[in-house]
Amino acid sequence: MPVFYGTEVESALLLGTAQYPSPAILAEAFRASRAGIATVSLRREQGGGQDFWALVAGLGARLLPNTAGCHTVKEAVTTAHMARELFDTRWIKLEVIGHTDTLQPDVFALLEAARILTDEGFEVFPYCTEDLTVCGRLLDAGCAVLMPWGAPIGSGRGLNNLWGLRALRAHFPEVPLVVDAGIGLPSHAAQAMELGFDAVLLNTAVAKAGDPVAMARAMALAVEAGRAACRADPMEPRDMAAPSTPVIGKAFLA
């Protein structure tokens, strides 16, 4: 099971709480997903009021508030402080958006905000790219978890840079890594786990599915399958065919 900042989480699936058709479907999808962590935006919570807070508190998952929608260091840090007071947790998923169309993180502002928040006692989960230098600087700033994107938020395109994600896993073998954003299908989630990542975070793929509950269940199974496959030490791909049936002992016709 993944361990984040010394806390073991029962599931490798992290699930967001936005955009569901109804509160009832949100709750049912979480039960089907068996997600160990629920991400929640402070702005979303304010919009839903106490009813929404009561709902997410009853999901049975640990809460990870985020700074979704923030575009500056000041805005992200202020939102993180408000989230800590409201949710009574030092955990914060740090998002500082740098590009409006792709929702790519502003890695310079992200690093600055991460330094400030870790110095102030937060346990930061930074939404970042798979860039090795950026990720190394985030670790130096005090982050003990990295959350590289698979593809742009809400795009459902899966893992756009397999080489980069593999390199990240290889360079930081002891660091908890979570693929965050871009997951659209269970096969994408399984692929991330097969690469050796510790967990997957998604939202839109479940919330916007025709049947969110069924998709949540499928994602849970995919994460489990991917993790099991990684631990099974899968075969390496080959360029040439290799017979699966041995030819030794084969009958020959005279």
Side-chain angles (χ1 to χ4, degrees):
M1 298 301 175
V3 177
F4 303 124
Y5 291 100
T7 298
E8 185 176 80
V9 181
E10 293 185 359
S11 170
L13 180 60
L14 288 64
L15 192 58
T17 56
Q19 305 184 66
Y20 289 82
S22 71
I25 292 177
L26 165 61
E28 191 175 354
F30 259 86
R31 286 193 294 269
S33 74
R34 303 190 297 275
I37 294 176
T39 62
V40 57
S41 168
L42 178 62
R43 296 178 181 185
R44 173 66 180 85
E45 207 290 318
Q46 286 176 321
Q50 292 301 315
D51 289 342
F52 182 74
W53 163 240
L55 173 64
V56 296
L59 292 175
R62 178 156 182 153
L63 297 184
L64 175 60
N66 66 42
T67 62
C70 292
H71 290 260
T72 67
V73 172
K74 181 178 181 180
E75 189 178 14
V77 169
T78 300
T79 302
H81 278 277
M82 295 172 66
R84 181 165 64 178
E85 181 176 349
L86 179 63
F87 297 110
D88 190 27
T89 178
R90 292 190 297 167
W91 281 15
I92 190 72
K93 181 191 170 188
L94 180 61
E95 296 183 27
V96 187
I97 301 302
H99 194 275
T100 303
D101 291 336
T102 64
L103 300 181
Q104 181 171 339
D106 179 339
V107 295
F108 304 102
L110 178 69
L111 181 58
E112 182 180 349
R115 285 200 185 101
I116 293 170
L117 292 173
T118 53
D119 287 345
E120 294 177 345
F122 284 87
E123 295 175 335
V124 177
F125 294 66
Y127 164 62
C128 57
T129 66
E130 69 277 18
D131 184 281
L132 294 175
T133 301
V134 170
C135 288
R137 297 287 176 84
L138 287 168
L139 295 174
D140 292 341
C143 298
V145 179
L146 296 172
M147 304 182 75
W149 66 348
I153 294 172
S155 69
R157 298 188 63 84
L159 309 184
N160 278 353
N161 186 359
L162 286 174
W163 181 90
L165 292 172
R166 284 196 187 98
L168 186 64
R169 178 73 284 175
H171 274 73
F172 303 112
E174 304 301 324
V175 177
L177 299 180
V178 182
V179 170
D180 175 15
I183 300 296
L185 294 170
S187 57
H188 300 156
Q191 187 177 36
M193 299 301 293
E194 288 168 4
L195 290 176
F197 279 72
D198 298 275
V200 169
L201 193 162
L202 56 93
N203 187 161
T204 309
V206 168
K208 290 299 186 181
D211 186 339
V213 177
M215 184 59 77
R217 187 175 298 111
M219 290 293 185
L221 294 172
V223 167
E224 291 181 11
R227 180 169 55 190
C230 180
R231 291 177 176 176
D233 190 18
M235 64 175 285
E236 292 292 331
R238 300 186 180 112
D239 291 331
M240 300 293 291
S244 57
T245 302
V247 296
I248 298 177
K250 177 181 175 182
F252 291 92
L253 297 177

PDB file of all heavy atoms in Angstrom, residues 159-172:
ATOM      1  N   LEU A 159      -1.266   8.383 -20.651  1.00  0.00           N
ATOM      2  CA  LEU A 159       0.127   8.719 -20.346  1.00  0.00           C
ATOM      3  C   LEU A 159       0.821   9.187 -21.609  1.00  0.00           C
ATOM      4  O   LEU A 159       1.194   8.380 -22.469  1.00  0.00           O
ATOM      5  CB  LEU A 159       0.843   7.506 -19.747  1.00  0.00           C
ATOM      6  CG  LEU A 159       0.132   6.822 -18.570  1.00  0.00           C
ATOM      7  CD1 LEU A 159       0.998   5.699 -18.012  1.00  0.00           C
ATOM      8  CD2 LEU A 159      -0.243   7.815 -17.487  1.00  0.00           C
ATOM      9  N   ASN A 160       0.989  10.491 -21.740  1.00  0.00           N
ATOM     10  CA  ASN A 160       1.536  11.067 -22.971  1.00  0.00           C
ATOM     11  C   ASN A 160       3.038  10.847 -23.128  1.00  0.00           C
ATOM     12  O   ASN A 160       3.547  10.807 -24.245  1.00  0.00           O
ATOM     13  CB  ASN A 160       1.253  12.573 -23.022  1.00  0.00           C
ATOM     14  CG  ASN A 160      -0.146  12.870 -23.524  1.00  0.00           C
ATOM     15  OD1 ASN A 160      -0.862  11.976 -23.961  1.00  0.00           O
ATOM     16  ND2 ASN A 160      -0.541  14.133 -23.462  1.00  0.00           N
ATOM     17  N   ASN A 161       3.760  10.747 -22.011  1.00  0.00           N
ATOM     18  CA  ASN A 161       5.223  10.644 -22.079  1.00  0.00           C
ATOM     19  C   ASN A 161       5.689   9.443 -21.270  1.00  0.00           C
ATOM     20  O   ASN A 161       6.149   9.575 -20.140  1.00  0.00           O
ATOM     21  CB  ASN A 161       5.862  11.933 -21.562  1.00  0.00           C
ATOM     22  CG  ASN A 161       7.374  11.944 -21.730  1.00  0.00           C
ATOM     23  OD1 ASN A 161       7.980  10.985 -22.223  1.00  0.00           O
ATOM     24  ND2 ASN A 161       8.010  13.029 -21.301  1.00  0.00           N
ATOM     25  N   LEU A 162       5.559   8.269 -21.852  1.00  0.00           N
ATOM     26  CA  LEU A 162       5.957   7.055 -21.147  1.00  0.00           C
ATOM     27  C   LEU A 162       7.439   7.066 -20.801  1.00  0.00           C
ATOM     28  O   LEU A 162       7.835   6.640 -19.710  1.00  0.00           O
ATOM     29  CB  LEU A 162       5.628   5.828 -22.000  1.00  0.00           C
ATOM     30  CG  LEU A 162       4.156   5.436 -22.092  1.00  0.00           C
ATOM     31  CD1 LEU A 162       3.986   4.303 -23.094  1.00  0.00           C
ATOM     32  CD2 LEU A 162       3.630   5.029 -20.728  1.00  0.00           C
ATOM     33  N   TRP A 163       8.267   7.531 -21.734  1.00  0.00           N
ATOM     34  CA  TRP A 163       9.710   7.571 -21.474  1.00  0.00           C
ATOM     35  C   TRP A 163      10.012   8.450 -20.265  1.00  0.00           C
ATOM     36  O   TRP A 163      10.790   8.082 -19.378  1.00  0.00           O
ATOM     37  CB  TRP A 163      10.456   8.095 -22.702  1.00  0.00           C
ATOM     38  CG  TRP A 163      11.945   8.123 -22.493  1.00  0.00           C
ATOM     39  CD1 TRP A 163      12.834   7.131 -22.762  1.00  0.00           C
ATOM     40  CD2 TRP A 163      12.711   9.215 -21.951  1.00  0.00           C
ATOM     41  NE1 TRP A 163      14.114   7.522 -22.423  1.00  0.00           N
ATOM     42  CE2 TRP A 163      14.064   8.792 -21.915  1.00  0.00           C
ATOM     43  CE3 TRP A 163      12.389  10.492 -21.478  1.00  0.00           C
ATOM     44  CZ2 TRP A 163      15.096   9.609 -21.434  1.00  0.00           C
ATOM     45  CZ3 TRP A 163      13.415  11.305 -20.996  1.00  0.00           C
ATOM     46  CH2 TRP A 163      14.750  10.864 -20.986  1.00  0.00           C
ATOM     47  N   GLY A 164       9.397   9.622 -20.208  1.00  0.00           N
ATOM     48  CA  GLY A 164       9.647  10.532 -19.099  1.00  0.00           C
ATOM     49  C   GLY A 164       9.186   9.975 -17.769  1.00  0.00           C
ATOM     50  O   GLY A 164       9.861  10.126 -16.741  1.00  0.00           O
ATOM     51  N   LEU A 165       8.041   9.312 -17.762  1.00  0.00           N
ATOM     52  CA  LEU A 165       7.531   8.731 -16.522  1.00  0.00           C
ATOM     53  C   LEU A 165       8.400   7.567 -16.067  1.00  0.00           C
ATOM     54  O   LEU A 165       8.650   7.394 -14.864  1.00  0.00           O
ATOM     55  CB  LEU A 165       6.083   8.289 -16.713  1.00  0.00           C
ATOM     56  CG  LEU A 165       5.076   9.439 -16.910  1.00  0.00           C
ATOM     57  CD1 LEU A 165       3.707   8.879 -17.283  1.00  0.00           C
ATOM     58  CD2 LEU A 165       4.980  10.305 -15.660  1.00  0.00           C
ATOM     59  N   ARG A 166       8.870   6.751 -17.006  1.00  0.00           N
ATOM     60  CA  ARG A 166       9.782   5.656 -16.646  1.00  0.00           C
ATOM     61  C   ARG A 166      11.079   6.212 -16.056  1.00  0.00           C
ATOM     62  O   ARG A 166      11.619   5.687 -15.077  1.00  0.00           O
ATOM     63  CB  ARG A 166      10.107   4.809 -17.874  1.00  0.00           C
ATOM     64  CG  ARG A 166       9.015   3.863 -18.315  1.00  0.00           C
ATOM     65  CD  ARG A 166       9.575   2.807 -19.264  1.00  0.00           C
ATOM     66  NE  ARG A 166       8.507   1.993 -19.825  1.00  0.00           N
ATOM     67  CZ  ARG A 166       7.961   2.166 -21.015  1.00  0.00           C
ATOM     68  NH1 ARG A 166       8.378   3.165 -21.786  1.00  0.00           N
ATOM     69  NH2 ARG A 166       7.007   1.371 -21.453  1.00  0.00           N
ATOM     70  N   ALA A 167      11.604   7.262 -16.681  1.00  0.00           N
ATOM     71  CA  ALA A 167      12.840   7.874 -16.196  1.00  0.00           C
ATOM     72  C   ALA A 167      12.651   8.431 -14.789  1.00  0.00           C
ATOM     73  O   ALA A 167      13.531   8.302 -13.930  1.00  0.00           O
ATOM     74  CB  ALA A 167      13.294   8.978 -17.153  1.00  0.00           C
ATOM     75  N   LEU A 168      11.508   9.038 -14.547  1.00  0.00           N
ATOM     76  CA  LEU A 168      11.226   9.593 -13.226  1.00  0.00           C
ATOM     77  C   LEU A 168      11.200   8.490 -12.177  1.00  0.00           C
ATOM     78  O   LEU A 168      11.774   8.627 -11.090  1.00  0.00           O
ATOM     79  CB  LEU A 168       9.882  10.330 -13.260  1.00  0.00           C
ATOM     80  CG  LEU A 168       9.489  11.099 -12.008  1.00  0.00           C
ATOM     81  CD1 LEU A 168      10.461  12.239 -11.740  1.00  0.00           C
ATOM     82  CD2 LEU A 168       8.069  11.643 -12.144  1.00  0.00           C
ATOM     83  N   ARG A 169      10.539   7.381 -12.496  1.00  0.00           N
ATOM     84  CA  ARG A 169      10.491   6.258 -11.556  1.00  0.00           C
ATOM     85  C   ARG A 169      11.888   5.715 -11.282  1.00  0.00           C
ATOM     86  O   ARG A 169      12.227   5.374 -10.146  1.00  0.00           O
ATOM     87  CB  ARG A 169       9.587   5.163 -12.119  1.00  0.00           C
ATOM     88  CG  ARG A 169       9.469   3.905 -11.279  1.00  0.00           C
ATOM     89  CD  ARG A 169       8.636   4.102 -10.011  1.00  0.00           C
ATOM     90  NE  ARG A 169       9.319   4.814  -8.947  1.00  0.00           N
ATOM     91  CZ  ARG A 169       8.733   5.162  -7.806  1.00  0.00           C
ATOM     92  NH1 ARG A 169       7.454   4.866  -7.589  1.00  0.00           N
ATOM     93  NH2 ARG A 169       9.407   5.811  -6.889  1.00  0.00           N
ATOM     94  N   ALA A 170      12.701   5.628 -12.337  1.00  0.00           N
ATOM     95  CA  ALA A 170      14.045   5.081 -12.183  1.00  0.00           C
ATOM     96  C   ALA A 170      14.951   6.008 -11.374  1.00  0.00           C
ATOM     97  O   ALA A 170      15.775   5.543 -10.579  1.00  0.00           O
ATOM     98  CB  ALA A 170      14.662   4.826 -13.564  1.00  0.00           C
ATOM     99  N   HIS A 171      14.806   7.311 -11.555  1.00  0.00           N
ATOM    100  CA  HIS A 171      15.671   8.266 -10.865  1.00  0.00           C
ATOM    101  C   HIS A 171      15.314   8.427  -9.386  1.00  0.00           C
ATOM    102  O   HIS A 171      16.182   8.743  -8.575  1.00  0.00           O
ATOM    103  CB  HIS A 171      15.611   9.638 -11.557  1.00  0.00           C
ATOM    104  CG  HIS A 171      16.552   9.780 -12.699  1.00  0.00           C
ATOM    105  ND1 HIS A 171      16.360   9.144 -13.912  1.00  0.00           N
ATOM    106  CD2 HIS A 171      17.714  10.476 -12.825  1.00  0.00           C
ATOM    107  CE1 HIS A 171      17.346   9.451 -14.730  1.00  0.00           C
ATOM    108  NE2 HIS A 171      18.180  10.256 -14.096  1.00  0.00           N
ATOM    109  N   PHE A 172      14.063   8.235  -9.057  1.00  0.00           N
ATOM    110  CA  PHE A 172      13.632   8.417  -7.668  1.00  0.00           C
ATOM    111  C   PHE A 172      12.914   7.159  -7.180  1.00  0.00           C
ATOM    112  O   PHE A 172      11.714   7.164  -6.930  1.00  0.00           O
ATOM    113  CB  PHE A 172      12.717   9.640  -7.557  1.00  0.00           C
ATOM    114  CG  PHE A 172      13.350  10.914  -8.056  1.00  0.00           C
ATOM    115  CD1 PHE A 172      12.882  11.533  -9.218  1.00  0.00           C
ATOM    116  CD2 PHE A 172      14.413  11.493  -7.391  1.00  0.00           C
ATOM    117  CE1 PHE A 172      13.458  12.703  -9.687  1.00  0.00           C
ATOM    118  CE2 PHE A 172      15.010  12.667  -7.858  1.00  0.00           C
ATOM    119  CZ  PHE A 172      14.534  13.275  -8.999  1.00  0.00           C
TER     120      PHE A 172
END
